[in-house]
Amino acid sequence: DVKVTQSSRYLVKRTGEKVFLECVQDMDHENMFWYRQDPGLGLRLIYFSYDVKMKEKGDIPEGYSVSREKKERFSLILESASTNQTSMYLCASSPSIGAFFGQGTRLTVV
Amino acid sequence: KNEVEQSPQNLTAQEGEFITINCSYSVGISALHWLQQHPGGGIVSLFMLSSGKKKHGRLIATINIQEKHSSLHITASHPRDSAVYICAVVSQGGSEKLVFGKGMKLTVNP
């Protein structure tokens, strides 16, 4: 079975902290995605990557950056966490047009 | 107007009932996903469709490409079917990005 693993289920961080959310997939997928999910807004794409060291902005990239140094790992970085970044963050990977999701990280910024 | 619309937004049913969840989209697509999200966050892909109909256990998914509409049916519903069901489409044009509906919260009471 394909496995997409996010490093934390729950995180609490302080305003201004630099936050790293890690995502690892074990099926050699080229495409990886970071989404955030908020009540009433659904899932929104933050960043995605088609290959190592390649990244593209999604719909809501402001306040975030990403890193993909290895094919299996896609990191989401909050450079200076703010309270409006409190959300559920979901990572996904895809070989083509399939979609495999991680279990999600619920981030609270206080 | 959202590119992917789901109806209803919330649904409460009694155990054993037949349930239909609808999804309409306004863009050309190469595939459509039905996703299930249980409390706690993790998302599971139930079906990926590009035409016709698929069945898995008590779940049936159909798609009408001409009408830009898909339905997810749950037969003999059970309380463990309680979850958020999300419709997501892959737009035509080579991008692997998913466009999500806002989801439908299903509660099945015993």
Side-chain angles (χ1 to χ4, degrees), chain B residues 4-106:
Chain B
V4 181
E5 296 277 359
Q6 289 187 240
S7 62
Q9 291 186 341
N10 292 280
L11 181 63
T12 300
Q14 288 300 121
E15 184 172 358
E17 284 185 14
F18 180 85
I19 293 164
T20 296
I21 305 166
N22 294 303
C23 175
S24 297
Y25 52 91
S26 57
V27 295
I29 69 168
S30 53
L32 180 144
H33 289 266
W34 279 104
L35 308 170
Q36 181 191 56
Q37 185 176 31
H38 280 281
I43 292 177
V44 175
S45 179
L46 298 173
F47 294 103
M48 186 176 72
L49 295 164
S50 54
S51 64
K53 177 179 175 179
K54 285 190 176 180
K55 185 176 189 292
H56 182 69
R58 295 181 293 108
L59 302 178
I60 303 167
T62 64
I63 189 168
N64 186 317
I65 297 293
Q66 287 73 30
E67 294 187 3
K68 292 187 165 63
H69 181 268
S70 176
S71 294
L72 177 67
H73 305 286
I74 305 174
T75 61
S77 60
H78 191 275
R80 65 174 174 265
D81 297 326
S82 298
V84 175
Y85 292 85
I86 302 169
C87 173
V89 301
V90 182
S91 296
Q92 283 178 335
S95 168
E96 307 299 345
K97 292 185 288 182
L98 290 171
V99 180
F100 295 88
K102 291 186 179 178
M104 190 221 75
K105 184 176 180 180
L106 173 66

Side-chain angles (χ1 to χ4, degrees), chain A residues 9-10 31 33 35 37 40-43 45 48 50 57 88 90 94 96-99 101-104, chain B residues 30-31 33 35 37 39-45 48 84 86 90 94-98 100-103:
Chain A
R9 290 296 304 274
Y10 300 94
N31 307 316
F33 307 83
Y35 301 93
Q37 186 181 32
L41 297 175
L43 282 124
L45 181 63
F48 60 103
Y50 288 140
K57 294 179 180 179
M88 169 70 85
L90 286 141
S94 168
S96 175
I97 55 174
F101 286 83
Q103 76 277 26
Chain B
S30 53
H33 289 266
L35 308 170
Q37 185 176 31
I43 292 177
V44 175
S45 179
M48 186 176 72
V84 175
I86 302 169
V90 182
S95 168
E96 307 299 345
K97 292 185 288 182
L98 290 171
F100 295 88
K102 291 186 179 178

Side-chain angles (χ1 to χ4, degrees), chain A residues 4-101:
Chain A
V4 180
T5 304
Q6 293 182 227
S7 53
S8 304
R9 290 296 304 274
Y10 300 94
L11 274 178
V12 179
K13 296 291 181 181
R14 294 196 178 277
T15 301
E17 276 193 73
K18 190 168 185 176
V19 181
F20 293 85
L21 303 183
E22 306 286 347
C23 176
V24 178
Q25 50 96 359
D26 64 359
M27 282 300 290
D28 204 36
H29 291 169
E30 293 179 344
N31 307 316
M32 296 188 75
F33 307 83
W34 274 107
Y35 301 93
R36 65 177 282 178
Q37 186 181 32
D38 301 287
L41 297 175
L43 282 124
R44 293 179 290 168
L45 181 63
I46 305 171
Y47 267 97
F48 60 103
S49 169
Y50 288 140
D51 204 347
V52 175
K53 296 191 186 294
M54 296 185 69
K55 59 186 179 184
E56 288 196 34
K57 294 179 180 179
D59 300 318
I60 49 163
E62 296 79 19
Y64 303 94
S65 62
V66 290
S67 171
R68 192 159 181 207
E69 296 296 318
K70 294 184 178 181
K71 195 172 187 179
E72 66 270 20
R73 185 180 297 269
F74 191 35
S75 302
L76 180 69
I77 304 156
L78 285 67
E79 297 290 343
S80 178
S82 63
T83 54
N84 64 11
Q85 292 178 310
T86 291
S87 186
M88 169 70 85
Y89 290 87
L90 286 141
C91 173
S93 76
S94 168
S96 175
I97 55 174
F100 300 90
F101 286 83

